[in-house]
Amino acid sequence: MSSNTSPELAAPSPVKAGDAFPEGVKFSSEIIRHSYVPYTPENESITSCGIPQEYNASQEFANKKVVLFAVPGAFTPGCSVRHLPGFIDHLSEIKSKGVDLVVVIAFNDAWVMSAWAKANGIKDEILFMTDTDARFSKNIGWTKGDRTGRYAMIVDHGKITYAQNEPGGDVTVSGAEAVLKEL
């Protein structure tokens, strides 16, 4: 297992409440496969690219309360119309429940995810990260074909307290309203 990638598992095992968040999960710059572009005033314009950065999720989530949700793709109707807006609309309520970070991951590269954040008026209130090869999603057994699945989890100081994968094509158990009920 490389130190710059999510752990490779022999057979994916879906995560569940009570599990520890997996060790070694990094959204890193290895071939720009797993990364994010942090907001800076210099790259505020949707046409500014920014530089993808590694994000060590296992380390960062260890001492924080985190809501992580995943979508199959940025700028797609289901993700842009039905999934992301709920988290934007309920962000202050989510944060009022002691949540330190809200993170969205998708199959797209870091620049697309950065542009999706900018198109939705988000600076650093929600972190938009990439799971380009769906490596993390594959490792937890939640994909939609070759893409990142549609799911949500709450990680409280390294322990998963809520984890749900959408059973169908709609946004039910992974939406902001469902997550809020579990906070």
Coordinates of all heavy atoms in Angstrom, one line a residue, residues 38-102:
P38 N -7.6 24.0 -2.4 CA -8.1 24.9 -1.3 C -8.5 26.3 -1.8 O -7.8 26.8 -2.8 CB -7.0 24.9 -0.3 CG -5.8 24.5 -1.0 CD -6.2 23.7 -2.2
Y39 N -9.5 26.9 -1.2 CA -9.8 28.3 -1.6 C -8.7 29.2 -1.2 O -8.2 29.2 -0.1 CB -11.1 28.7 -0.9 CG -11.4 30.2 -1.1 CD1 -11.9 30.7 -2.2 CD2 -11.0 31.1 -0.1 CE1 -12.1 32.0 -2.4 CE2 -11.2 32.4 -0.2 CZ -11.8 32.9 -1.4 OH -12.0 34.2 -1.6
T40 N -8.4 30.2 -2.1 CA -7.6 31.3 -1.8 C -8.2 32.5 -2.6 O -8.8 32.3 -3.6 CB -6.1 31.1 -2.2 OG1 -6.0 31.0 -3.6 CG2 -5.5 29.9 -1.5
P41 N -8.0 33.7 -2.1 CA -8.5 34.8 -2.8 C -8.0 34.9 -4.3 O -8.6 35.4 -5.2 CB -8.1 36.0 -2.0 CG -7.9 35.5 -0.6 CD -7.4 34.1 -0.8
E42 N -6.7 34.4 -4.4 CA -6.1 34.5 -5.8 C -6.8 33.5 -6.8 O -6.8 33.8 -8.0 CB -4.6 34.1 -5.7 CG -3.8 35.0 -4.9 CD -3.9 34.8 -3.4 OE1 -4.1 33.6 -3.0 OE2 -3.8 35.8 -2.6
N43 N -7.4 32.5 -6.3 CA -8.1 31.6 -7.2 C -9.6 31.6 -7.1 O -10.3 30.6 -7.4 CB -7.5 30.1 -7.1 CG -7.9 29.4 -5.9 OD1 -8.7 29.9 -5.1 ND2 -7.4 28.2 -5.7
E44 N -10.1 32.7 -6.7 CA -11.6 32.9 -6.5 C -12.4 32.8 -7.7 O -13.5 32.3 -7.7 CB -11.8 34.2 -5.8 CG -13.3 34.4 -5.4 CD -13.5 35.6 -4.5 OE1 -12.6 36.5 -4.5 OE2 -14.5 35.7 -3.8
S45 N -11.8 33.3 -8.8 CA -12.5 33.2 -10.1 C -12.7 31.8 -10.6 O -11.9 30.9 -10.4 CB -11.7 34.0 -11.2 OG -12.2 33.7 -12.5
I46 N -13.9 31.5 -11.2 CA -14.2 30.2 -11.6 C -13.2 29.7 -12.7 O -12.9 28.6 -13.0 CB -15.6 30.0 -12.1 CG1 -16.0 28.5 -12.2 CG2 -15.8 30.7 -13.4 CD1 -17.5 28.3 -12.3
T47 N -12.5 30.7 -13.4 CA -11.6 30.4 -14.4 C -10.1 30.2 -13.9 O -9.2 29.9 -14.7 CB -11.6 31.4 -15.6 OG1 -11.3 32.7 -15.0 CG2 -12.9 31.5 -16.3
S48 N -9.9 30.5 -12.6 CA -8.6 30.3 -12.0 C -8.5 28.8 -11.5 O -9.4 28.3 -10.9 CB -8.4 31.2 -10.8 OG -8.5 32.5 -11.2
C49 N -7.4 28.2 -11.9 CA -7.2 26.8 -11.6 C -6.9 26.4 -10.2 O -7.4 25.6 -9.5 CB -6.2 26.1 -12.5 SG -6.8 26.2 -14.2
G50 N -5.9 27.1 -9.6 CA -5.3 26.7 -8.3 C -4.5 25.5 -8.4 O -4.4 24.9 -9.5
I51 N -3.8 25.1 -7.3 CA -2.9 24.0 -7.3 C -3.5 22.9 -6.4 O -3.8 23.2 -5.2 CB -1.5 24.4 -6.7 CG1 -1.0 25.6 -7.5 CG2 -0.6 23.2 -6.7 CD1 0.0 25.4 -8.5
P52 N -3.8 21.7 -6.9 CA -4.3 20.7 -6.0 C -3.3 20.3 -4.9 O -2.1 20.3 -5.1 CB -4.4 19.5 -7.0 CG -4.5 20.1 -8.3 CD -3.7 21.3 -8.3
Q53 N -3.9 20.1 -3.7 CA -3.1 19.8 -2.5 C -3.6 18.4 -2.0 O -4.7 18.0 -2.1 CB -3.4 20.8 -1.5 CG -3.1 22.2 -1.9 CD -1.7 22.5 -2.0 OE1 -0.9 22.1 -1.2 NE2 -1.3 23.1 -3.2
E54 N -2.6 17.8 -1.3 CA -3.0 16.5 -0.6 C -3.8 16.9 0.6 O -3.5 17.9 1.3 CB -1.7 15.8 -0.2 CG -1.9 14.6 0.6 CD -0.6 13.9 1.0 OE1 -0.1 13.1 0.1 OE2 -0.1 14.1 2.1
Y55 N -4.7 16.0 1.0 CA -5.5 16.1 2.2 C -5.5 14.8 2.9 O -6.0 13.8 2.4 CB -6.9 16.6 1.9 CG -7.7 17.0 3.1 CD1 -7.6 18.3 3.6 CD2 -8.5 16.0 3.7 CE1 -8.3 18.6 4.7 CE2 -9.2 16.4 4.9 CZ -9.1 17.6 5.4 OH -9.8 18.0 6.5
N56 N -4.9 14.7 4.1 CA -4.8 13.5 4.8 C -6.1 13.4 5.7 O -6.2 13.9 6.8 CB -3.6 13.5 5.7 CG -3.4 12.2 6.4 OD1 -4.4 11.5 6.7 ND2 -2.2 11.8 6.7
A57 N -7.1 12.8 5.1 CA -8.4 12.7 5.7 C -8.4 11.9 7.0 O -9.0 12.3 8.0 CB -9.4 12.0 4.8
S58 N -7.6 10.8 7.1 CA -7.5 10.0 8.3 C -7.0 10.9 9.4 O -7.5 10.8 10.6 CB -6.7 8.8 8.1 OG -7.3 7.9 7.2
Q59 N -6.0 11.6 9.2 CA -5.3 12.5 10.2 C -6.3 13.7 10.5 O -6.5 14.0 11.7 CB -4.0 13.0 9.7 CG -3.3 13.9 10.7 CD -1.9 14.3 10.1 OE1 -1.4 13.8 9.1 NE2 -1.3 15.3 10.8
E60 N -6.8 14.3 9.5 CA -7.6 15.5 9.8 C -9.0 15.1 10.5 O -9.5 15.9 11.3 CB -7.9 16.2 8.5 CG -6.7 16.9 7.9 CD -6.2 18.0 8.7 OE1 -6.9 18.7 9.4 OE2 -4.9 18.2 8.7
F61 N -9.5 14.0 10.2 CA -10.8 13.6 10.8 C -10.6 13.0 12.2 O -11.6 12.9 12.9 CB -11.5 12.5 9.9 CG -11.9 13.0 8.5 CD1 -11.7 14.3 8.1 CD2 -12.6 12.1 7.7 CE1 -12.1 14.7 6.8 CE2 -13.0 12.5 6.4 CZ -12.8 13.8 6.0
A62 N -9.4 12.7 12.6 CA -9.2 12.1 13.9 C -9.6 12.9 15.0 O -10.1 12.4 16.1 CB -7.7 11.7 14.0
N63 N -9.5 14.2 14.9 CA -9.9 15.1 16.0 C -11.0 16.1 15.7 O -11.0 17.2 16.3 CB -8.6 15.8 16.5 CG -7.6 14.9 17.1 OD1 -7.9 14.0 17.9 ND2 -6.4 14.9 16.6
K64 N -11.8 15.7 14.8 CA -12.9 16.6 14.4 C -14.2 15.8 14.2 O -14.2 14.6 14.0 CB -12.5 17.3 13.0 CG -11.4 18.3 13.1 CD -11.1 18.9 11.7 CE -10.0 19.9 11.8 NZ -8.7 19.4 11.8
K65 N -15.3 16.6 14.2 CA -16.6 16.0 13.8 C -16.8 16.4 12.3 O -16.8 17.6 12.0 CB -17.7 16.5 14.7 CG -19.0 15.8 14.5 CD -20.0 16.3 15.6 CE -21.3 15.5 15.6 NZ -22.2 15.9 16.7
V66 N -17.0 15.4 11.5 CA -17.0 15.6 10.0 C -18.3 15.0 9.4 O -18.6 13.9 9.7 CB -15.8 15.0 9.4 CG1 -15.8 15.2 7.9 CG2 -14.5 15.5 10.0
V67 N -18.9 15.8 8.5 CA -19.9 15.2 7.7 C -19.3 15.1 6.3 O -18.8 16.0 5.7 CB -21.2 16.1 7.6 CG1 -22.1 15.7 6.5 CG2 -21.9 16.1 8.9
L68 N -19.2 13.8 5.8 CA -18.7 13.6 4.5 C -19.8 13.0 3.6 O -20.5 12.1 4.1 CB -17.5 12.6 4.5 CG -16.9 12.2 3.2 CD1 -15.4 12.2 3.3 CD2 -17.4 10.8 2.7
F69 N -20.0 13.6 2.5 CA -21.0 13.0 1.6 C -20.4 12.9 0.2 O -19.5 13.6 -0.2 CB -22.4 13.8 1.6 CG -22.3 15.2 1.0 CD1 -22.8 15.4 -0.3 CD2 -21.8 16.2 1.7 CE1 -22.8 16.7 -0.9 CE2 -21.8 17.5 1.1 CZ -22.3 17.7 -0.1
A70 N -20.9 11.9 -0.6 CA -20.3 11.6 -1.9 C -21.4 11.6 -2.9 O -22.6 11.3 -2.7 CB -19.6 10.2 -1.9
V71 N -21.0 12.1 -4.1 CA -21.9 12.2 -5.2 C -21.2 11.5 -6.5 O -20.0 11.6 -6.5 CB -22.3 13.6 -5.5 CG1 -23.1 14.2 -4.4 CG2 -21.1 14.5 -5.9
P72 N -21.9 11.0 -7.4 CA -21.3 10.4 -8.6 C -20.6 11.4 -9.5 O -19.6 11.1 -10.1 CB -22.5 9.7 -9.3 CG -23.5 9.5 -8.3 CD -23.4 10.6 -7.3
G73 N -21.0 12.7 -9.5 CA -20.4 13.6 -10.4 C -20.8 15.1 -10.2 O -22.0 15.3 -9.9
A74 N -19.8 16.0 -10.2 CA -20.1 17.4 -10.1 C -20.9 17.8 -11.4 O -20.7 17.2 -12.5 CB -18.8 18.2 -10.0
F75 N -21.7 18.8 -11.3 CA -22.4 19.5 -12.4 C -23.4 18.5 -13.0 O -23.9 18.8 -14.1 CB -21.5 20.0 -13.4 CG -20.6 21.2 -13.0 CD1 -19.3 21.0 -12.7 CD2 -21.2 22.4 -12.8 CE1 -18.5 22.1 -12.3 CE2 -20.4 23.5 -12.4 CZ -19.1 23.4 -12.1
T76 N -23.8 17.4 -12.3 CA -24.8 16.5 -12.9 C -26.2 16.9 -12.2 O -26.2 17.5 -11.1 CB -24.5 15.1 -12.6 OG1 -24.4 14.9 -11.2 CG2 -23.2 14.7 -13.2
P77 N -27.3 16.6 -12.9 CA -28.6 17.1 -12.4 C -28.9 16.6 -11.0 O -29.2 17.4 -10.1 CB -29.6 16.5 -13.4 CG -28.8 16.4 -14.6 CD -27.4 16.0 -14.2
G78 N -28.7 15.3 -10.7 CA -29.0 14.8 -9.4 C -28.1 15.4 -8.3 O -28.6 15.7 -7.2
C79 N -26.9 15.5 -8.6 CA -25.9 16.0 -7.6 C -26.1 17.5 -7.4 O -26.0 18.0 -6.3 CB -24.5 15.7 -8.1 SG -24.3 13.9 -8.4
S80 N -26.2 18.3 -8.5 CA -26.3 19.7 -8.5 C -27.7 20.3 -8.1 O -27.8 21.4 -7.5 CB -25.9 20.3 -9.8 OG -24.6 20.1 -10.1
V81 N -28.7 19.5 -8.3 CA -30.1 20.0 -8.1 C -30.7 19.4 -6.8 O -31.3 20.0 -6.0 CB -31.0 19.7 -9.3 CG1 -32.4 20.1 -9.0 CG2 -30.5 20.4 -10.5
R82 N -30.4 18.1 -6.5 CA -31.0 17.4 -5.4 C -30.1 17.1 -4.2 O -30.6 17.0 -3.1 CB -31.7 16.1 -5.9 CG -32.8 16.3 -6.9 CD -33.6 15.0 -7.1 NE -32.8 13.8 -7.2 CZ -32.3 13.2 -8.3 NH1 -32.5 13.8 -9.5 NH2 -31.6 12.1 -8.2
H83 N -28.8 17.0 -4.4 CA -27.9 16.6 -3.3 C -27.2 17.8 -2.6 O -27.4 18.0 -1.5 CB -27.0 15.5 -3.8 CG -26.5 14.6 -2.7 ND1 -26.0 13.4 -3.0 CD2 -26.6 14.6 -1.4 CE1 -25.7 12.7 -1.9 NE2 -26.1 13.5 -0.9
L84 N -26.3 18.4 -3.4 CA -25.5 19.5 -2.9 C -26.3 20.7 -2.3 O -26.0 21.1 -1.2 CB -24.5 20.0 -3.9 CG -23.7 21.2 -3.5 CD1 -22.8 20.9 -2.4 CD2 -22.9 21.7 -4.8
P85 N -27.4 21.1 -2.9 CA -28.1 22.3 -2.4 C -28.6 22.1 -0.9 O -28.6 23.0 -0.2 CB -29.3 22.4 -3.3 CG -28.8 21.9 -4.6 CD -27.9 20.7 -4.2
G86 N -29.0 20.9 -0.6 CA -29.4 20.6 0.8 C -28.4 20.9 1.8 O -28.6 21.5 2.9
F87 N -27.1 20.5 1.5 CA -26.0 20.8 2.4 C -25.7 22.3 2.4 O -25.3 22.8 3.5 CB -24.8 19.9 2.0 CG -25.0 18.5 2.4 CD1 -25.5 17.6 1.5 CD2 -24.7 18.1 3.7 CE1 -25.7 16.3 1.9 CE2 -24.8 16.8 4.1 CZ -25.3 15.9 3.2
I88 N -25.8 23.0 1.3 CA -25.6 24.4 1.3 C -26.6 25.1 2.1 O -26.4 26.0 3.0 CB -25.5 24.9 -0.1 CG1 -24.3 24.4 -0.9 CG2 -25.5 26.5 -0.2 CD1 -24.2 24.7 -2.4
D89 N -27.9 24.7 1.9 CA -29.0 25.4 2.6 C -29.0 25.1 4.1 O -29.4 26.0 4.8 CB -30.4 24.9 2.0 CG -30.6 25.3 0.6 OD1 -29.9 26.3 0.1 OD2 -31.5 24.8 -0.1
H90 N -28.6 24.0 4.5 CA -28.6 23.6 5.9 C -27.2 23.7 6.6 O -27.0 23.2 7.7 CB -29.1 22.2 6.1 CG -30.6 22.0 5.7 ND1 -31.6 22.6 6.4 CD2 -31.2 21.4 4.6 CE1 -32.8 22.3 5.8 NE2 -32.5 21.6 4.7
L91 N -26.3 24.3 5.9 CA -24.9 24.4 6.4 C -24.8 25.0 7.8 O -24.2 24.4 8.7 CB -24.0 25.1 5.5 CG -22.5 25.1 5.8 CD1 -22.0 23.6 5.8 CD2 -21.7 25.9 4.8
S92 N -25.5 26.1 8.1 CA -25.4 26.7 9.4 C -26.0 25.8 10.5 O -25.5 25.7 11.6 CB -26.0 28.1 9.5 OG -27.3 28.0 9.1
E93 N -27.1 25.1 10.2 CA -27.7 24.2 11.1 C -26.8 23.0 11.4 O -26.7 22.5 12.5 CB -29.1 23.7 10.5 CG -29.9 23.0 11.5 CD -31.3 22.6 11.0 OE1 -31.6 23.1 9.9 OE2 -32.0 21.8 11.7
I94 N -26.2 22.5 10.3 CA -25.2 21.4 10.5 C -24.1 21.8 11.3 O -23.7 21.1 12.3 CB -24.7 20.9 9.1 CG1 -25.9 20.2 8.3 CG2 -23.5 19.9 9.2 CD1 -25.6 19.9 6.8
K95 N -23.5 22.9 11.1 CA -22.4 23.4 11.9 C -22.8 23.7 13.3 O -22.0 23.5 14.2 CB -21.8 24.7 11.3 CG -21.1 24.5 9.9 CD -19.7 24.1 10.0 CE -19.1 23.9 8.6 NZ -17.7 24.5 8.6
S96 N -24.0 24.1 13.5 CA -24.5 24.3 14.9 C -24.6 23.1 15.8 O -24.7 23.1 17.0 CB -25.8 25.0 14.9 OG -26.9 24.1 14.6
K97 N -24.5 21.9 15.1 CA -24.5 20.6 15.8 C -23.1 20.2 16.2 O -22.9 19.0 16.5 CB -25.2 19.6 14.9 CG -26.6 19.9 14.5 CD -27.6 19.7 15.6 CE -29.0 19.9 15.1 NZ -30.0 19.6 16.1
G98 N -22.1 21.1 16.1 CA -20.8 20.8 16.5 C -19.9 20.2 15.3 O -18.8 19.7 15.6
V99 N -20.4 20.3 14.1 CA -19.6 19.8 13.0 C -18.5 20.8 12.6 O -18.8 22.0 12.5 CB -20.6 19.5 11.8 CG1 -19.8 19.2 10.5 CG2 -21.5 18.4 12.1
D100 N -17.3 20.3 12.6 CA -16.1 21.1 12.2 C -16.0 21.2 10.7 O -15.5 22.3 10.2 CB -14.9 20.5 12.8 CG -14.9 20.4 14.3 OD1 -15.1 21.5 15.0 OD2 -14.9 19.3 14.9
L101 N -16.2 20.1 10.0 CA -16.0 20.1 8.5 C -17.1 19.4 7.8 O -17.7 18.4 8.3 CB -14.7 19.3 8.2 CG -13.4 19.8 8.6 CD1 -12.3 18.7 8.3 CD2 -13.0 21.0 7.8
V102 N -17.5 20.0 6.7 CA -18.4 19.3 5.7 C -17.6 19.1 4.5 O -17.0 20.0 4.0 CB -19.7 20.2 5.4 CG1 -20.5 19.5 4.4 CG2 -20.4 20.4 6.7

